[in-house]
């Protein structure tokens, strides 16, 4: 299977803080890969490096064979990144925001078709025509998930995609993420919701203090730790 992401011996220091400490893992094309781990473990740092927003200290990071440092502009054409704390231009309506983004990142595809898909994914009904600064936290998140997935990126990098969403909305967004793989998108996500990673992910990597300490398919991990769910696996590994 082709590799969507290949990470070898990645180290990232912020001054004296070693945020990522010799991490290696691969993400196969077409899969949903989940990064889990305690606060401060290094998840967001890894996602930002893959998104070309942070430089590596050392090691190799490739996206579909393109190096994130040397070929950053090629990598940017293939990815869509949903940051943990993203916002949108507050003076635009949801729909005009999606249109604005589609014009930038549409890669030559028809803007109206991309926006239509974004509107459908965001599923904000008539509120899509309201200004973004009137949205609740959950509505904003849905808009941003629409933004990230409407362009059918080769790789979607989603940092806590359902944070702030209620149970029903979170479940809908999970289905949207799963559906995106049917259109050829590979997904790398981070989450603190173990139910979510178990439902969504083909492979899970557990990161602690900048190191991958466990990796596998949810079923395999549960078996290995004699656990009934991934939360128990997490506690078993991290404690
Ligand atoms: P959380 O689950 O809390 O979002 P995380 O696993 O995403 O955590 P990171 O945000 O990657 O963790 O942080 C990893 C480490 O790197 C932490 O010790 C954090 O304080 C540090 N760090 C992250 N960004 C910076 C920065 N810009 N400057 C200095 N230190 C940073």
């Amino acid at each position: 299977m082709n590799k969507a992401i290949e990470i070898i011996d990645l180290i990232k220091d912020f001054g004296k803080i070693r945020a990522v400490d010799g991490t290696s893992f691969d993400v196969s094309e077409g899969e949903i890969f989940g990064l889990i781990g305690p606060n401060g473990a290094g998840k967001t740092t890894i996602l930002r490096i893959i998104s070309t927003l942070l430089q590596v200290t050392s090691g190799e990071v490739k996206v579909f064979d393109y190096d994130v440092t040397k070929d950053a502009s090629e990598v940017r054409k293939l990815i869509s990144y949903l940051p943990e704390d993203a916002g949108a231009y507050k003076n635009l309506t949801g729909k005009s925001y999606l249109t604005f983004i589609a014009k930038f990142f549409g890669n030559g595809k028809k803007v109206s078709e991309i926006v239509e898909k974004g509107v459908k994914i965001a599923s904000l009904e008539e509120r899509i025509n309201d200004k973004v600064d009137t949205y609740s936290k959950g509505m904003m998140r849905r808009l941003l998930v629409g933004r990230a997935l409407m362009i059918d990126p080769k790789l979607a990098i989603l940092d806590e995609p359902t944070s702030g969403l209620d149970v029903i909305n979170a479940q809908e967004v999970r289905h949207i993420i799963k559906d995106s793989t049917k259109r050829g998108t590979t997904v790398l996500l981070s989450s603190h919701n173990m139910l979510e990673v178990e439902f969504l992910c083909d492979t899970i990597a557990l990161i602690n203090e900048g190191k991958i300490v466990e990796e596998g398919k949810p079923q395999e991990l549960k078996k290995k730790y004699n656990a009934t769910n991934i939360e128990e696996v997490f506690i078993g590994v991290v404690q």
Side-chain angles (χ1 to χ4, degrees), residues 135-144 163-165:
Y135 287 1
S136 71
K137 198 169 151 194
M139 290 167 73
M140 175 69 101
R141 205 67 188 152
R142 291 190 69 126
L143 180 72
L144 293 167
S163 83
L165 295 183

Side-chain angles (χ1 to χ4, degrees), residues 104-142:
F104 261 106
F105 298 100
N107 281 340
K109 287 185 218 152
K110 211 168 167 207
V111 169
S112 59
E113 279 171 20
I114 298 172
V115 173
E116 200 182 313
K117 195 180 283 172
V119 168
K120 196 165 162 235
I121 295 172
S123 208
L124 292 168
E125 315 303 336
E126 70 278 5
R127 296 294 306 269
I128 196 75
N129 294 312
D130 288 350
K131 278 195 178 169
V132 167
D133 68 356
T134 68
Y135 287 1
S136 71
K137 198 169 151 194
M139 290 167 73
M140 175 69 101
R141 205 67 188 152
R142 291 190 69 126

Side-chain angles (χ1 to χ4, degrees), residues 154-172:
K154 286 277 284 173
L155 173 66
I157 301 159
L158 310 174
D159 203 346
E160 299 186 31
T162 61
S163 83
L165 295 183
D166 65 46
V167 175
I168 305 287
N169 276 299
Q171 185 65 297
E172 275 177 32

Side-chain angles (χ1 to χ4, degrees), residues 81-88 90 97 137 140-141 144 147 159:
Y81 174 52
L82 172 67
E84 187 178 12
D85 52 358
K90 296 199 182 306
Y97 173 70
K137 198 169 151 194
M140 175 69 101
R141 205 67 188 152
L144 293 167
R147 174 222 152 127
D159 203 346

